[in-house]
Amino acid sequence: LIVGASRGIGLCLLEQALAEGHNVTALARHPAPVAEGKGHLRSVQGSVLDPATVESAVAGQDAVVCVTGVKTPWEQRRLFSGGTRCLLDAMAKAGVRRLVCVTGIGAGDSRGHGGALYNYVFFPLLARGIYADKDRQEALVRASETNWTIVRPGFLTNGPRTGSYRVFTDLAGVTAGRISRADVADFVLSEITLNRYLGQTPLLTY
């Protein structure tokens, strides 16, 4: 299940997963059209904040990927934690244990690793509210009984899928740079398959 599959990282992941033959359920408020013939796709239209919709989407899944996002910094500031709470409840009911949750640079102990402009200008002026909720989201995931991985990408671009990027779990001396949405999706897809970062919070950057 991909939650937030209509654009950005979620759409990249959807396309990559279908191309590699996975059976995919896509939950989004406005499902994006995807070319047929690349795999098996089930679309569920609705909100991650609606428990009934989320339970329907989660049922029968092997893994859940949460890549919810907002278009503006002031939009639905409880979306991340509220949606994650619904997902975790539905996963517990359905017996689904694998969760990959994409947050971002500035969440948890990655705060302060975005460079001076981001740390002292953009973050306090525009991103503080969003990341307060992402912190709540991460806390819920950490406290859950799922087999979780929290993925924190650096600054997102629309570049290609290269498969070549750095993954940090120790952030000492690390300043995040750019990474394409397609490469974040590449990492998430490989992590679902290989489970190399269970219970960890890898930061992705070039």
Side-chain angles (χ1 to χ4, degrees), residues 98-107 109-110 138 141-142 148-154 165-171 174 176 179 184 187-188 190-192 195-205:
R98 186 65 173 111
L99 174 64
V100 177
C101 185
V102 180
T103 58
I105 183 68
D109 63 1
S110 72
E138 289 197 359
V141 172
R142 288 175 177 273
W148 58 266
T149 304
I150 294 171
V151 181
R152 296 166 172 168
Y165 42 82
R166 296 179 294 165
V167 181
F168 293 98
T169 55
D170 181 354
L171 301 186
V174 174
I179 187 165
V184 178
F187 175 84
V188 170
S190 68
E191 179 58 20
I192 291 171
N195 298 318
R196 293 174 295 184
Y197 294 93
L198 290 172
Q200 299 184 67
T201 56
L203 184 150
L204 310 182
T205 188

Side-chain angles (χ1 to χ4, degrees), residues 118-131:
Y118 181 78
N119 294 340
Y120 300 112
V121 179
F122 181 84
F123 187 92
L125 292 179
L126 295 176
R128 185 183 299 276
I130 286 177
Y131 276 89

Side-chain angles (χ1 to χ4, degrees), residues 3-196:
V3 181
S6 62
R7 59 189 177 90
I9 296 167
L11 181 57
C12 291
L13 177 60
L14 175 63
E15 293 171 341
Q16 291 177 23
L18 289 176
E20 294 185 15
H22 293 275
N23 296 322
V24 180
T25 297
L27 171 60
R29 286 170 290 179
H30 306 288
V34 177
E36 296 181 358
K38 290 186 176 181
H40 301 283
L41 173 64
R42 170 188 170 223
S43 292
V44 177
Q45 184 170 7
S47 171
V48 71
L49 297 172
D50 178 54
T53 299
V54 173
E55 286 184 20
S56 173
V58 167
Q61 303 300 317
D62 296 317
V64 174
V65 179
C66 181
V67 285
T68 52
V70 293
K71 293 182 178 180
T72 62
W74 50 86
E75 179 185 358
Q76 288 186 282
R77 289 191 173 180
R78 290 278 179 172
L79 173 69
F80 303 105
S81 60
T84 297
R85 186 175 288 107
C86 285
L87 278 174
L88 291 171
D89 288 346
M91 290 174 70
K93 290 180 181 179
V96 179
R97 293 188 54 82
R98 186 65 173 111
L99 174 64
V100 177
C101 185
V102 180
T103 58
I105 183 68
D109 63 1
S110 72
R111 186 166 302 177
H113 291 272
L117 183 63
Y118 181 78
N119 294 340
Y120 300 112
V121 179
F122 181 84
F123 187 92
L125 292 179
L126 295 176
R128 185 183 299 276
I130 286 177
Y131 276 89
D133 198 39
K134 285 179 181 284
D135 286 345
R136 291 187 287 267
Q137 177 186 29
E138 289 197 359
L140 288 168
V141 172
R142 288 175 177 273
S144 73
E145 296 184 357
T146 61
N147 298 320
W148 58 266
T149 304
I150 294 171
V151 181
R152 296 166 172 168
F155 304 108
L156 297 169
T157 76
N158 291 321
R161 180 185 188 182
T162 69
S164 179
Y165 42 82
R166 296 179 294 165
V167 181
F168 293 98
T169 55
D170 181 354
L171 301 186
V174 174
T175 298
R178 296 180 180 181
I179 187 165
S180 71
R181 292 172 175 85
D183 271 336
V184 178
D186 176 89
F187 175 84
V188 170
L189 193 56
S190 68
E191 179 58 20
I192 291 171
T193 305
L194 301 176
N195 298 318
R196 293 174 295 184

